[in-house]
Amino acid sequence: MAFRILCLDGGGIRGIMPARILQKVEERLGSPLKNHFDLIAGTSTGSILAIGIGLGKSPEELLNLYMNKGLDIFPYQSIFSFKRLPIILKYGPSAPKFSNEGLMAVLQGEYGEKKFSDITPDPDKLMDSLKILIPSYDTIRRNPVIFKSWRHDLWYANVPLWEICLSSASAPTYFPAHRITPSNGEEYSLIDGGVCANNPVACAVAEAIKLLRQHSGQFTGDFIKPIKVISIGTGDPASPIPWKKVRGWGLVQWGLRIADVFMDAPPDIHRYVAEQIIGGTDTDREKRYLRLQLPLKDPLLAMDDARQANLEGILKETDAYINQVEVQKKLEKLLADW
């Protein structure tokens, strides 16, 4: 049987896109998603979805989380909102756009004090268990942190899942960095995994290869063949930034757009790496790898616009995309012998 991977991009409130698409996937599979994957990787908003699925939540429940709690996480749009005053008083004029109190409360309410052991309870039965992978980035060591649900021997084993999500979703300029001081006495300053792997597919495929090697004892290319991947994005910018506009940008202009740019560029790099590793002809690859990513135009691209009208607009675009005949055919081909 194939080693089945689900990858979920970061993208803030646009996590409703993969949530909606996963509704269609679950309908096609006919039973809870957690029963159909060996590894689920999620970055930032994707981490919230990945952990939710790992705990047995349905895509509908996760979609409702965004629809009903989005304004608790992103309570305003303008950085000049009076609601932003408390975080300015705390951090100064260059403060992040939002406090993380709303996001923290939502995550705690959803996941309580559950830990990775609630998803992958027995590392000795690793290949028979669902595994979760969550990227973040430590600003102290200046290195990525890849949380793995099966590594009960590492420093984050007893960190609650809500903190794992918060660590992966603390996007620079949007939220403060999240500090964790585990029992080993170290300190970690964690920010959004999107700075290194907004699309975690390359991380997931690399980890799958490692796991398959360890399990089979093989060190040839044969272990690559059984890997199958569904990778779901949170919208691809359809509007270019013209050279005449961007050529003169300096610190202020780039500062206002850099979070959007660095969360837009890495997904394509990680997609390219994963596709090259999986290999095969285009026809053959379609049976083993599927990237679902719909084009979006402003203003639907905003990662923090949780107003009802905006969410409904994103869902409308998502439904139109997933119902396209070509997309349906590709999904059917991948899931034919899932």
Side-chain angles (χ1 to χ4, degrees), residues 145-160:
V145 174
I146 309 297
F147 296 106
K148 304 171 188 179
S149 67
W150 61 98
R151 292 300 305 269
H152 296 181
D153 57 325
L154 297 181
W155 63 267
Y156 52 77
N158 290 315
V159 174

Side-chain angles (χ1 to χ4, degrees), residues 69-83:
K69 301 290 185 179
L71 285 174
D72 293 340
I73 300 169
F74 303 111
Y76 46 83
Q77 281 69 58
S78 173
I79 60 172
F80 302 107
S81 171
F82 75 92
K83 295 180 181 179

Side-chain angles (χ1 to χ4, degrees), residues 106-118:
V106 170
L107 293 172
Q108 287 175 330
E110 287 297 312
Y111 303 137
E113 293 302 310
K114 289 184 171 63
K115 300 179 175 61
F116 271 144
S117 57
D118 291 290

Side-chain angles (χ1 to χ4, degrees), residues 7 82 99 108 206 218 277 309 320:
C7 294
F82 75 92
S99 163
Q108 287 175 330
Q218 295 182 17
I277 293 173

